[in-house]
């Protein structure tokens, strides 16, 4: 009998994608049966979008991977329009997890449950049922380390972290600048802060932690987590299993962009995409467009309707798109860039673009899945962080990892100008200054391939855990 485990992502494509890919890997490379538990809701939201449906279509599922839909949550009952994104995700997830115990019993009490970082209520259910519970970290190890230390900061710092005069020295890691802090950690008196603290203070209860990373990518934070006395005292056993990235799916809609890419010279096209829901302000979009034009580089730009800064200060736009970029791109831009650039409304298969030999650079919001996909395909980045932990990721990628460049932004500056945008684009695509970034990303690509191969560090980590599950079956 193959060991049977269950995997449960919380809402949002950023969680769903890596946990789904990890499940596939457990089935295809490690001979497990996986029940993939899906939180469902009465109304449409980021995790039940068309992209989600495409990801989970039957042709994408190996035979030992079974989808199990949790009873639907009535979103109107448990949320309201004032809620910010993290509060909304956590509230719906908590409501959905009320049915977890009976679902786990119905599917025959699996040998282990793997959840992401925002479903820690599952640990209590697992303890009741004597099922080992693991966390799969969908963000960098550096952010995981900051978050564990955040519990300590909450206890020891008076007032808000946003008011600290100096960067935060996380033990054994690079300091975190106050301006890079994620919104949820800045101000104590907010629901998002409370949810963040609730979950991060429970991570230590997991039976094991899977990092979507590998030894060569995050050497410093991994060393801190394993060796620093603070982390040793609060961290369950850790396993580096990455990069776990989206594999190319059947995507008819990408065909026309692929044919265009086929006609371009190698490494000559800049790809622009800001994750599953990111977008720009109206004012920034104008500078962005003219910056691309000024750079004189070829590009593919996944563009979404601009939004004004939301109540949480972030730019997020899911399900609010007219699919008509000409309505919001600056006048004359499409005509001026015809043949040089391609504008894609809302969504295309990012992995298909990144793996194409004509793609030579990526403007990314530094979501962790996009980051891993870029490195796994050897594509250097321009960091354009928007929300969540992305500013912290951007700094690490530019200053520690050396695979990205950040546009220069003066304190208090809300919009990056076209000249600066053109400068960083040219630097990453062709300038001598970008040589080192391009070399470094290719080097990391090689180490990623090695880590995933048979007898590579990430492959071996998964084998070790699977061995622990086997005798239990
Ligand atoms: O046109 C598009 C745009 C995105 N994607 C895919 O969508 C995913 C986006 O994931 P990610 O880069 O992680 O961005 P978000 O969806 O914004 O992810 C959320 O979750 C991540 C993992 O926890 C965090 O790192 C981010 O900050 C948070 O915003 C990737 O697999 C992309 O390939 C496409 O295929 N086509």
């Amino acid at each position: 009998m193959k060991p049977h485990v269950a995997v449960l992502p919380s809402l949002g494509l950023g969680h769903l994608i890596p946990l789904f890919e990890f499940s596939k890997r457990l089935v295809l490379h490690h001979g497990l049966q996986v029940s993939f538990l899906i939180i469902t809701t009465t109304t449409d939201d980021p995790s039940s979008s068309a992209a989600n449906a495409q990801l989970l279509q039957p042709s994408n599922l190996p035979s030992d991977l079974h989808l199990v839909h949790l009873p639907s949550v009535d979103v109107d009952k448990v949320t309201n329009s004032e809620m910010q994104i993290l509060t909304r995700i956590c509230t719906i997830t908590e409501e959905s997890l009320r049915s977890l115990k009976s679902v786990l019993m119905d599917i025959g009490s699996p040998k282990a449950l793997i959840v992401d970082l925002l479903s820690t209520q599952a640990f209590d259910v697992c303890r009741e049922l004597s099922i080992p519970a693991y966390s799969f970290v969908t963000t960098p190890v550096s952010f995981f380390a900051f978050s564990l230390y955040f519990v300590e900061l909450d206890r020891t710092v008076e007032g808000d972290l946003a008011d600290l005069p100096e960067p935060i020295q996380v033990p054994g890691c690079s300091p975190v600048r106050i301006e890079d802090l994620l919104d949820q950690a800045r101000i104590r008196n907010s629901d998002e802060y409370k949810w963040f603290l609730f979950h991060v203070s429970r991570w230590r209860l997991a039976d094991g932690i899977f990092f979507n990373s590998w030894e060569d990518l995050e050497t410093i934070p991994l060393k801190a987590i394993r060796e620093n006395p603070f982390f040793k005292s609060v961290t369950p056993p850790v396993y580096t299993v990455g990069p776990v990235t989206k594999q190319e799916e059947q995507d008819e809609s990408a065909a026309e962009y692929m044919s265009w890419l086929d006609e371009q010279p190698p490494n000559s096209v800049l790809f622009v995409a800001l994750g599953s829901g990111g977008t720009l302000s109206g004012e920034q979009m104008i500078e962005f467009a003219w910056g691309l034009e000024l750079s004189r580089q070829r590009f593919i730009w996944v563009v979404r309707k601009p939004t004004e800064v939301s109540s949480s200060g972030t730019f997020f736009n899911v399900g609010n798109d007219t699919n008509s970029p000409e309505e919001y791109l600056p006048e004359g831009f499409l005509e001026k860039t015809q043949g040089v650039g391609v504008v894609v409304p809302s969504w295309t298969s990012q992995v298909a673009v990144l793996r194409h030999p004509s793609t030579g650079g990526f403007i990314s919001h530094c979501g962790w899945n996009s980051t891993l996909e870029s490195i796994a395909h050897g594509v250097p980045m321009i960091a354009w962080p928007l929300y969540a932990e992305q500013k912290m990721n951007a700094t690490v990628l530019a200053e520690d990892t050396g695979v990205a460049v950040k546009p220069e932004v003066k304190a208090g500056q809300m919009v990056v100008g076209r000249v600066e945008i053109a400068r960083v684009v040219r630097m990453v695509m062709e300038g001598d200054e970008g040589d080192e970034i391009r070399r470094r990303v290719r080097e990391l690509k090689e180490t990623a391939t090695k880590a995933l191969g048979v007898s590579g560090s990430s492959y071996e980590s998964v084998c070790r855990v699977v061995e622990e599950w086997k005798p239990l079956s």
Side-chain angles (χ1 to χ4, degrees):
M1 247 302 251
K2 294 178 172 178
H4 170 213
V5 302
V7 176
L8 168 70
S10 51
L11 284 183
L13 274 175
H15 307 130
L16 187 99
I17 288 171
L19 270 83
F20 181 69
E21 293 299 336
F22 190 54
S23 302
K24 284 207 295 197
R25 204 170 279 184
L26 291 176
V27 168
L28 296 172
H29 301 319
H30 300 276
L32 302 190
Q33 276 186 68
V34 175
S35 292
F36 193 72
L37 312 184
I38 301 167
I39 294 177
T40 43
T41 55
T42 45
T43 45
D44 214 17
D45 65 44
S47 90
S48 52
S49 63
N52 183 0
Q54 188 192 29
L55 185 74
L56 301 175
Q57 65 187 303
S59 61
N60 221 351
L61 298 177
S63 59
D64 279 324
L65 179 57
H66 306 285
L67 303 187
V68 178
H69 291 270
L70 272 60
S72 181
V73 173
D74 186 341
V75 174
D76 294 335
K77 247 190 186 156
V78 296
T79 65
N80 61 56
S81 56
E82 302 292 293
M83 282 182 177
Q84 291 169 342
I85 183 85
L86 183 75
T87 303
R88 192 181 149 80
I89 289 177
C90 291
T91 305
I92 297 173
T93 301
E94 179 166 77
E95 186 62 23
S96 183
L97 293 187
R98 295 189 201 288
S99 62
L100 183 63
K101 185 174 169 190
S102 63
V103 170
L104 288 174
M105 285 170 18
D106 282 353
I107 60 170
S109 293
K111 300 305 164 201
L113 175 70
I114 303 166
V115 297
D116 63 55
L117 297 173
L118 301 179
S119 301
T120 61
Q121 297 92 338
F123 298 158
D124 304 334
V125 177
C126 284
R127 191 155 311 112
E128 248 185 87
L129 298 176
S130 301
I131 297 174
Y134 293 76
S135 276
F136 184 100
V137 179
T138 57
T139 56
V141 179
S142 54
F143 178 69
F144 178 86
F146 165 80
S147 305
L148 282 184
Y149 191 59
F150 175 74
V151 181
E152 189 66 9
L153 293 167
D154 176 73
R155 215 172 48 77
T156 53
V157 171
E158 278 182 31
D160 293 327
L161 297 192
D163 295 331
L164 287 177
E166 300 286 337
I168 296 169
Q169 184 56 67
V170 180
C173 300
S174 300
V176 175
R177 292 190 198 120
I178 305 303
E179 64 268 27
D180 287 348
L181 277 182
L182 70 164
D183 291 334
Q184 290 80 9
R186 302 180 76 83
I187 312 285
R188 279 173 193 273
N189 185 21
S190 74
D191 287 343
E192 298 222 304
Y193 184 100
K194 287 172 199 149
W195 275 115
F196 183 56
L197 182 63
F198 171 78
H199 285 300
V200 301
S201 59
R202 291 166 58 85
W203 291 353
R204 62 185 73 182
L205 303 177
D207 289 288
I209 305 277
F210 294 113
F211 286 133
N212 195 1
S213 195
W214 67 101
E215 303 297 329
D216 297 276
L217 181 67
E218 291 196 89
T219 315
I220 294 171
L222 278 169
K223 188 170 176 340
I225 289 282
R226 290 180 178 132
E227 294 175 16
N228 185 281
F230 169 77
F231 289 118
K232 274 176 85 172
S233 66
V234 294
T235 316
V238 298
Y239 307 89
T240 51
V241 299
V244 177
T245 53
K246 200 161 163 220
Q247 302 304 301
E248 198 172 358
E249 71 266 77
Q250 291 278 331
D251 183 357
E252 306 281 300
S253 67
E256 78 174 272
Y257 312 121
M258 291 301 116
S259 331
W260 183 80
L261 273 170
D262 288 344
E263 289 159 15
Q264 312 308 317
N267 297 318
S268 69
V269 177
L270 176 78
F271 178 51
V272 186
L274 302 173
S276 54
T279 186
L280 303 168
S281 69
E283 210 183 332
Q284 182 63 77
M285 188 164 289
I286 294 170
E287 288 305 306
F288 200 97
W290 291 127
L292 285 183
E293 194 267 337
L294 195 61
S295 76
R296 297 275 180 268
Q297 302 295 315
R298 297 176 176 82
F299 63 86
I300 291 193
W301 180 8
V302 178
V303 68
R304 297 198 178 98
K305 190 175 176 183
T307 174
E308 293 320 312
V309 188
S310 75
S311 50
S312 61
T314 60
F315 299 100
F316 197 75
N317 195 1
V318 169
N320 180 22
D321 211 292
T322 60
N323 276 351
S324 318
E326 55 279 7
E327 283 175 24
Y328 46 80
L329 286 168
E331 217 181 311
F333 172 75
L334 289 172
E335 296 73 33
K336 260 196 142 164
T337 55
Q338 205 175 15
V340 177
V342 173
V343 166
V344 180
S346 289
W347 188 270
T348 189
S349 170
Q350 175 166 304
V351 170
V353 177
L354 286 173
R355 72 156 37 153
H356 196 286
S358 298
T359 304
F362 181 20
I363 299 194
S364 169
H365 73 324
C366 303
W368 194 234
N369 296 297
S370 295
T371 301
L372 293 176
E373 288 161 13
S374 200
I375 297 174
H377 293 100
V379 179
M381 280 172 276
I382 293 169
W384 199 282
L386 296 172
Y387 47 87
E389 88 297 6
Q390 294 153 16
K391 291 195 183 96
M392 293 166 66
N393 299 353
T395 298
V396 170
L397 292 170
E399 294 174 15
D400 295 353
T401 323
V403 293
V405 58
K406 281 206 295 189
E408 279 175 22
V409 186
K410 294 191 188 78
Q413 189 184 342
M414 297 295 286
V415 173
V416 184
R418 62 191 73 181
V419 173
E420 176 59 8
I421 292 167
R423 181 186 77 83
V424 287
V425 169
R426 278 197 296 264
M427 176 175 161
V428 161
M429 297 302 293
E430 59 174 20
D432 292 348
E433 268 184 292
D435 277 351
E436 181 51 24
I437 294 175
R438 293 189 286 270
R439 187 201 62 76
R440 177 73 179 135
V441 77
R442 280 198 300 271
E443 179 180 80
L444 280 171
K445 174 188 171 178
E446 297 304 319
T447 65
T449 310
K450 214 165 144 203
L452 293 178
V454 176
S455 81
S457 56
S458 296
Y459 181 82
E460 289 293 325
S461 286
V462 184
C463 291
R464 277 209 319 277
V465 192
V466 169
E467 278 311 308
E468 284 172 28
W469 294 333
K470 272 188 182 157
L472 301 171
S473 58

